[in-house]
């Protein structure tokens, strides 16, 4: 079997004692017991590493953050002033759980431009696409349900689905993405996967964009196996060579929940994203959203709606792409200079055609966690790849971000990684 169920639930379905969070107090002193779900959740490896990367002078290639220099401050300032001048009471009042109607309308229109036929009533505005993942866990998964994931996949999705008590089936694949045959087999299992979580565009962490033919084959396999798709697309607008092929949702609209985000095109602090679900399923997401937070902040929704209605994306997106393309090219050049064939260091990578990340495969004898300690000592941080794998593999991989650093920092950082690798040779 190419796919592996990797995270079995503990046999004993009781609550768990609160783990000692190293605050110097004895865990036994706490009257709290955490749920089995919560006991299974681990601190995010990325957040722990970002703490290291915060040290002065450290070059961080570890972050998953967009460049703050890309935030459209003037447009957001102007929209905020307008919303507070024109509709202050409405913006600060409780609002519908589904979201601000003009923003839902904008999303439907925007997705029509990508070939999706979406009624605004199918759109739920969320607090980022991360909330969309949490809601998928609540609405679609039972304790012990299997979710099929890519190898590697987005760590935040593994976290969200772990808190829904999911098991993971890691799909194998190749440079074009997960294998349709592996997905088809999941439908034949005694307990078929409840859904498959896919990131077709410039995946976090691998940067891979699934080509059109593979998308069609994956959607056909999912449909045949009756395994619905959760399609996560925060990076689709960040393309540097050519726009990505049409979404999986266009191949199987009734079988796809689609997640979008404004974090990478506007600013993540707005905490705004959206979920598009088939009409019969959307009310379930609305109910889960009501229980979570009633609604996404109305002020932010109105600000973003005003920003979008101004048409500024037409100028903003090309500028954003140009900024990040420069970073992508600088990192590719640095990798060739320091880790290319002539270095003899045995690393492999493929320059991404969009998104924010390079994915590096290290030679067989090198563990990325061990390399990280050496690299941090040399003033550079990255994210080891193991955390992005549901099947415990990935020890020889790492993720590098190129969007919050200068070309000089990229060169120095990649150079330091090469030096650290030489130490381990
Ligand atoms: C693949 C993927 N999905 C979802 C998210 C969450 O994004 P947000 O909640 O900011 O929309 C991220 C954030 O980096 C991501 O990389």
């Amino acid at each position: 079997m190419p796919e592996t169920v990797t995270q079995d639930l503990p046999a004993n379905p009781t609550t768990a004692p609160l783990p000692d969070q190293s605050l110097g107090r004895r865990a036994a002193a706490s009257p709290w017991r955490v749920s089995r779900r919560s006991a299974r959740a681990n601190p995010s490896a990325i957040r722990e590493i970002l703490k290291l990367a915060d040290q002065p002078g450290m070059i961080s290639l570890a972050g998953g953050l967009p460049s703050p220099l890309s935030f459209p401050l003037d447009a957001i300032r102007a929209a905020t002033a307008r919303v507070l001048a024109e509709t202050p009471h409405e913006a600060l009042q409780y609002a519908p759980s589904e979201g601000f109607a003009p923003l839902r309308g904008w999303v439907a229109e925007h997705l029509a431009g990508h070939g999706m036929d979406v009624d605004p009533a199918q759109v739920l505005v969320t607090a980022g696409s991360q909330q969309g993942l949490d809601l998928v866990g609540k609405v679609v998964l039972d304790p012990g349900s299997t979710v099929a994931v890519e190898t590697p996949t987005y760590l935040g999705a593994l976290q969200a689905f772990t808190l829904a008590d999911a098991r993971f089936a890691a799909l194998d694949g190749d440079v074009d993405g997960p294998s349709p045959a592996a997905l088809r087999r999941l439908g034949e299992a005694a307990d078929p996967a409840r859904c498959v979580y896919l990131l077709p565009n410039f995946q976090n962490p691998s940067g891979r964009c699934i080509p059109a033919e593979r998308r069609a084959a994956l959607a056909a396999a999912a449909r045949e196996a009756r395994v619905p798709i959760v399609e996560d697309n925060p990076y689709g607008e960040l393309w540097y060579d050519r726009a990505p092929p049409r979404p999986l949702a266009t191949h199987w609209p009734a079988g796809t929940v689609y997640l979008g985000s404004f974090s990478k095109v506007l600013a993540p602090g707005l905490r705004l994203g959206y979920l598009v679900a088939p009409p019969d399923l959307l009310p379930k997401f609305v109910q889960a959203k009501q229980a979570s937070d009633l609604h996404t902040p109305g002020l932010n929704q109105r600000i973003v709606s005003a920003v979008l209605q101004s048409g500024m994306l037409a100028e903003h997106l090309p500028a954003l792409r140009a900024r990040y393309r420069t970073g992508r090219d600088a990192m590719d050049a640095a990798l060739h200079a320091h880790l290319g064939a002539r270095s003899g260091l045995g690393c492999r990578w493929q320059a991404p055609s969009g998104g924010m990340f390079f994915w590096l495969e290290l030679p067989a004898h090198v563990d990325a966690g061990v390399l990280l300690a050496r690299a941090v000592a040399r003033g550079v941080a990255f994210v080891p790849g193991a955390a992005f794998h549901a099947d415990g593999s990935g020890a020889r991989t790492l993720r590098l971000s190129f969007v919050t650093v200068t070309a000089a920092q990229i060169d120095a950082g990649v150079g330091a990684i090469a030096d650290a690798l030489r130490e381990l040779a």
Side-chain angles (χ1 to χ4, degrees):
M1 291 283 281
E3 64 274 1
T4 346
V5 174
T6 57
Q7 282 200 314
D8 281 326
L9 300 178
N12 179 6
T14 59
T15 56
L18 188 64
D20 185 351
Q21 301 287 358
S22 66
L23 297 176
R25 283 182 272 121
R26 280 186 307 121
S30 172
W32 294 97
R33 292 176 71 77
V34 297
S35 66
R36 203 159 49 96
R37 280 188 305 283
S38 185
R40 290 176 71 216
N42 291 313
S44 152
I46 295 190
R47 284 191 196 289
E48 296 305 305
I49 290 159
L50 279 177
K51 282 185 204 157
L52 283 178
D54 266 354
Q55 290 167 20
M58 185 73 70
I59 297 174
S60 179
L61 307 178
L65 318 177
S67 168
L69 301 175
S70 73
F71 300 159
L73 297 183
D74 289 343
I76 292 175
R77 272 194 198 106
T80 306
R82 214 178 108 197
V83 168
L84 288 176
E86 292 176 5
T87 51
H89 300 106
E90 297 88 337
L92 296 171
Q93 187 53 280
Y94 282 117
S97 301
E98 289 84 350
F100 183 50
L103 184 57
R104 298 171 80 200
W106 183 92
V107 168
E109 214 171 286
H110 169 75
L111 295 178
H114 292 278
M116 287 171 65
D117 182 11
V118 171
D119 189 295
Q122 287 174 255
V123 178
L124 172 66
V125 179
T126 58
S129 54
Q130 189 65 37
Q131 184 179 46
L133 294 168
D134 181 59
L135 297 179
V136 166
K138 288 180 169 137
V139 169
V140 178
L141 305 179
D142 283 315
S145 294
T146 299
V147 180
V149 294
E150 297 177 54
T151 309
T153 189
Y154 171 52
L155 173 60
L158 294 177
Q159 289 181 305
F161 300 152
T162 294
L163 274 167
D165 263 350
R167 301 166 194 245
F168 296 107
L171 294 169
D172 64 356
D174 55 27
V175 286
D176 284 345
S179 145
L183 179 52
R184 205 172 281 114
R185 275 193 294 275
L186 279 182
E188 293 160 5
D191 180 19
R194 230 12 118 71
C195 61
V196 55
Y197 171 65
L198 296 171
L199 297 124
N201 295 329
F202 321 122
Q203 199 225 37
N204 177 7
S206 70
R208 189 263 307 110
C209 186
I210 301 180
E213 311 74 55
R214 179 65 62 90
R215 290 180 195 224
L218 279 168
R223 192 176 200 150
E224 211 176 291
R226 296 191 62 75
V227 176
I229 299 168
V230 176
E231 178 172 17
D232 191 9
N233 182 26
Y235 301 102
E237 298 296 338
L238 304 183
W239 51 265
Y240 312 133
D241 303 322
R242 72 203 73 80
R246 63 191 172 98
L248 292 161
T250 61
H251 295 272
W252 191 22
T256 307
V257 166
Y258 179 94
L259 306 178
S261 174
F262 294 106
S263 291
K264 307 303 190 299
V265 292
L266 293 177
L270 294 160
R271 303 310 305 129
L272 267 190
Y274 50 90
L275 177 153
V276 178
D280 52 343
L281 191 58
L282 192 88
K284 285 288 152 201
F285 283 106
V286 175
Q287 287 156 18
K289 167 95 180 150
Q290 280 167 350
S292 288
D293 63 358
L294 300 182
H295 64 82
T296 301
L299 177 61
N300 297 19
Q301 293 190 65
R302 284 169 187 262
I303 290 168
V304 166
S305 181
V307 166
L308 297 169
Q309 306 293 349
S310 76
M312 59 76 74
L313 279 190
E315 279 178 24
H316 179 64
L317 286 178
L320 185 61
R321 289 177 194 132
R323 171 184 291 281
Y324 287 176
R325 185 185 296 115
T326 305
R328 189 273 310 260
D329 292 345
M331 184 160 274
D332 198 36
L335 286 166
H336 279 288
H338 298 287
L339 294 171
R342 273 193 296 161
S343 73
L345 288 169
C347 294
R348 294 194 318 169
W349 72 93
Q350 198 152 33
S353 59
M356 297 176 15
F357 308 110
F358 274 70
W359 185 243
L360 204 63
E361 287 176 41
L362 300 168
H365 65 281
V366 181
D367 179 291
V370 174
L371 181 67
L372 177 64
R374 305 272 177 138
V376 165
R378 291 175 174 275
V380 59
F382 58 78
V383 184
F388 301 100
H389 291 70
D391 61 1
S393 64
R396 292 188 303 104
T397 57
L398 60 90
R399 191 191 75 179
L400 300 171
S401 162
F402 53 83
V403 300
T404 48
V405 271
T406 63
Q409 287 172 317
I410 288 173
D411 188 64
V414 173
I417 292 172
D419 290 340
L421 258 174
R422 243 173 242 113
E423 277 178 19
L424 294 173

